[in-house]
Amino acid sequence: MTAPSTGGKPAFKKIDIYNHVLPPKYFELVKAHSKDAGIVKRMASLRLLWDLEARAQMLAEKFPDVVQVLTLSQPAPEMLGGPDQSPEFARVANDGMAEICARYPDQFPVFVAALPMNNVPAALKEMDRAINELGARGVQVVTNVNGRPLDNPEFFPIFEAMANRHRLPVWMHPFRPGTVSDYKDEERSKYEIWQVLGWPFETSVAMSRMVFSGMLEKLPDLRVITHHCGGMLPYFAGRAESLWAQLGSRSADGSEADVLKRLSKPPIDYFKMFYGDTVLGGSSSALRCGLEFFGVDHVVFASDCPFDPEGGPMFIREGIRSIENQGLSDEDCEKLYLGNALKLMRLARIGKQ
């Protein structure tokens, strides 16, 4: 699984497991139905988000050892329309990603399915179609469904199907709109705080709801890949472990203390069941924290391409650099770059190896 190296260290094949695309037909739906002009403006400015020929060429020229598992960029289908429209939007997205994979198999060998999360019966059908007919190797969900938590019982069948029937991972992407203000007397969040700090917070909240609702207790085989290496959890692990051990001590009636009695192990152990990706802006110290929290077997290489100041290559390059700075063994590097992702997607190989 490794290629020859000119510097004594093997050049590992790398699976970029979390990056984003907008298939052209889906991008047209975004432009027609999105109510967020800022998001549309941002997407239009990123050529490698929707010009996949240019992106495939960039990868071939600059990163020949990298293949990308495609995931749909925000906005998700349920953000563009109601439950009567979102199933068709998801179908367009998934058909588009499957077409990209068929056209550029050396750079984009597989994709992750988008789901219409505001229509659970349709989401289950689209999940089956995308995985069984199109070859998707997992599904993507947003940390909330138009403001509703993922641990709402309505959404449980989706996670149950992924854990027990398809046995493939769930990619969880954060979202918090700019219309959610940071202070009560303001109409909007300022300085893009809603994204830079708000999205890791949203990831951490969604993980917490999954843990304390008992979702991971009920679905021990569920595999969830968290964007930005678990949000806040690795950095605040000590605080989370010590304070949640006292859950219920701050509530007026103390009723939340019963939550701990329903869990068969300490809360922090459930948080370590998640997987974290390496999308940390190239920060070696942040990645070191994530590796210490999740362990090398639960971290996967990812770039967030093309959402970087260079519009594509920077996060790939800096993400690789952050891994190389860890001083890991060849065995652990191969896990981060290749092995962990193959196991999650239940693939023996991917692309040219």
Side-chain angles (χ1 to χ4, degrees):
M1 292 185 180
T2 60
S5 170
T6 57
K9 189 171 184 178
F12 294 103
K13 185 78 176 180
K14 302 172 180 66
I15 299 176
D16 178 354
I17 204 169
Y18 222 140
N19 55 88
H20 306 290
V21 295
L22 279 178
K25 290 181 181 178
Y26 188 80
F27 191 22
E28 292 304 312
L29 292 174
V30 171
K31 288 187 281 189
H33 296 278
S34 176
K35 299 177 177 62
D36 191 331
I39 288 288
V40 175
K41 174 186 175 183
R42 172 62 169 154
M43 301 308 183
S45 70
L46 289 169
R47 180 186 176 191
L48 295 193
L49 189 62
W50 39 265
D51 185 344
L52 278 301
E53 180 178 2
R55 178 136 147 208
Q57 183 178 352
M58 182 272 291
L59 288 172
E61 292 177 354
K62 296 186 176 183
F63 305 101
D65 57 340
V66 172
V67 298
Q68 293 189 326
V69 177
L70 300 181
T71 65
L72 187 69
S73 179
Q74 302 301 307
E78 67 269 14
M79 298 177 187
L80 296 181
D84 56 331
Q85 294 176 299
S86 60
E88 177 60 22
F89 295 166
R91 176 179 282 269
V92 169
N94 293 329
D95 286 347
M97 287 189 285
E99 289 171 8
I100 292 166
C101 292
R103 190 175 305 143
Y104 307 104
D106 292 340
Q107 286 77 40
F108 314 120
V110 293
F111 74 99
V112 177
L115 299 179
M117 290 292 289
N118 57 349
N119 184 332
V120 171
L124 290 168
K125 290 179 181 179
E126 183 61 16
M127 171 198 299
D128 292 344
R129 185 187 81 92
I131 293 173
N132 296 333
E133 299 178 22
L134 302 181
R137 300 310 296 170
V139 301
Q140 179 175 239
V141 301
V142 182
T143 47
N144 62 83
V145 180
N146 293 331
R148 300 177 66 201
L150 291 178
D151 66 312
N152 187 300
E154 179 184 348
F155 306 124
F156 185 80
I158 291 172
F159 296 100
E160 183 179 37
M162 290 304 297
N164 298 337
R165 188 166 80 246
H166 291 296
R167 297 188 296 119
L168 289 170
V170 175
W171 277 248
M172 188 168 71
H173 195 283
F175 185 76
R176 179 185 179 96
T179 52
V180 175
S181 65
D182 306 308
Y183 295 95
K184 291 182 179 180
D185 65 344
E186 296 178 347
E187 294 183 358
R188 295 183 61 88
S189 174
K190 293 186 177 181
Y191 316 119
E192 298 186 2
I193 291 171
W194 58 273
Q195 186 198 43
V196 178
L197 300 180
W199 284 17
F201 173 75
E202 288 291 331
T203 294
S204 307
V205 170
M207 293 168 70
S208 303
R209 293 292 293 257
M210 287 181 174
V211 168
F212 291 108
S213 68
M215 183 184 291
L216 299 184
E217 180 89 9
K218 298 171 187 173
L219 300 174
D221 293 326
L222 182 64
R223 303 291 179 259
V224 179
I225 303 170
T226 62
H227 214 16
H228 314 120
C229 207
M232 298 164 57
L233 260 301
Y235 186 74
F236 286 102
R239 176 178 174 83
E241 183 173 14
S242 59
L243 296 188
W244 269 324
Q246 308 168 63
L247 182 62
S249 62
R250 296 167 188 82
S251 56
D253 59 3
S255 60
E256 288 191 327
D258 293 337
V259 173
L260 296 180
K261 298 175 184 177
R262 293 194 293 268
L263 300 178
S264 61
K265 53 187 177 182
I268 201 70
D269 290 347
Y270 292 96
F271 284 103
K272 292 183 179 182
M273 291 172 63
F274 291 92
Y275 287 73
D277 70 18
T278 62
V279 176
L280 294 162
S283 171
S284 299
S285 57
L287 178 56
R288 192 171 303 117
C289 183
L291 284 167
E292 183 175 334
F293 180 75
F294 288 114
V296 72
D297 291 326
H298 274 234
V299 177
V300 286
F301 170 63
S303 70
D304 215 18
C305 174
F307 289 98
D308 62 68
E310 296 176 10
M314 178 181 170
F315 279 169
I316 302 175
R317 183 182 67 246
E318 294 304 300
I320 293 171
R321 181 191 56 77
S322 70
I323 293 174
E324 297 302 316
N325 285 347
Q326 301 303 313
L328 300 172
S329 67
D330 290 347
E331 180 183 2
D332 285 347
C333 283
E334 187 172 39
K335 287 180 179 180
L336 295 185
Y337 285 133
L338 183 66
N340 293 343
L342 289 177
K343 287 181 181 179
L344 279 167
M345 295 186 291
R346 293 196 293 115
L347 293 172
R349 62 185 299 276
I350 191 168
K352 291 182 178 179
Q353 291 180 205

